Amino acid sequence: MNIALGVVATILQVLSFCDAYAHSDHKPKHGGIMGRGDDEISVELVMEKGSVILYIEDESGTPVPTEKVKGTLSVVSPGRPTQEAKLIPVGDNKFSAKGLTPVPGDRLRARIILPGGEEFSSIFSFR
């Protein structure tokens, strides 16, 4: 019985330290919605003057220059056709996607391709 309690205590102690090394959720810096997806980059979605704006950073919070980055943003809505727009660099770590009209409840998927060919995706639940 003592051995079993020792094993359980050890397992619980190890599990309690695992969270310390996990990637934490990034907080929005521009008042938007943070995407879920790859841990290597974080993506924040902001609605700005009828356009969808995406800000991208690496896992440490350093802005990722968008000048040579490519990508698309898709909007999936129940009962409506899927919309898709090309991501256009509009600043240091900022993309714009024009012509999309997400409504609360829609799912958005950003597909981002870095200059080296690495591909990342991020999913948003629009609210």
Side-chain angles (χ1 to χ4, degrees), residues 37-69:
D38 299 305
D39 285 336
E40 289 84 8
I41 64 166
S42 66
V43 182
E44 181 181 0
L45 180 143
V46 178
M47 289 301 296
E48 212 174 83
K49 299 177 186 174
S51 294
V52 179
I53 304 296
L54 297 178
Y55 295 90
I56 62 172
E57 297 179 343
D58 66 16
E59 63 187 334
S60 68
T62 304
V64 174
T66 58
E67 183 181 329
K68 296 179 182 177
V69 176

Side-chain angles (χ1 to χ4, degrees), residues 45-121:
L45 180 143
V46 178
M47 289 301 296
E48 212 174 83
K49 299 177 186 174
S51 294
V52 179
I53 304 296
L54 297 178
Y55 295 90
I56 62 172
E57 297 179 343
D58 66 16
E59 63 187 334
S60 68
T62 304
V64 174
T66 58
E67 183 181 329
K68 296 179 182 177
V69 176
K70 298 178 184 178
T72 57
L73 184 65
S74 304
V75 178
V76 179
S77 308
R80 294 186 329 178
T82 298
Q83 303 174 49
E84 187 168 288
K86 182 178 178 182
L87 293 174
I88 300 165
V90 292
D92 294 334
N93 68 321
K94 184 175 174 182
F95 279 118
S96 175
K98 297 187 185 293
L100 299 177
T101 54
V103 297
D106 286 353
R107 292 250 186 222
L108 290 89
R109 178 180 181 256
R111 182 174 162 254
I112 298 167
I113 304 168
L114 299 178
E118 298 166 284
E119 187 173 324
F120 301 98
S121 65

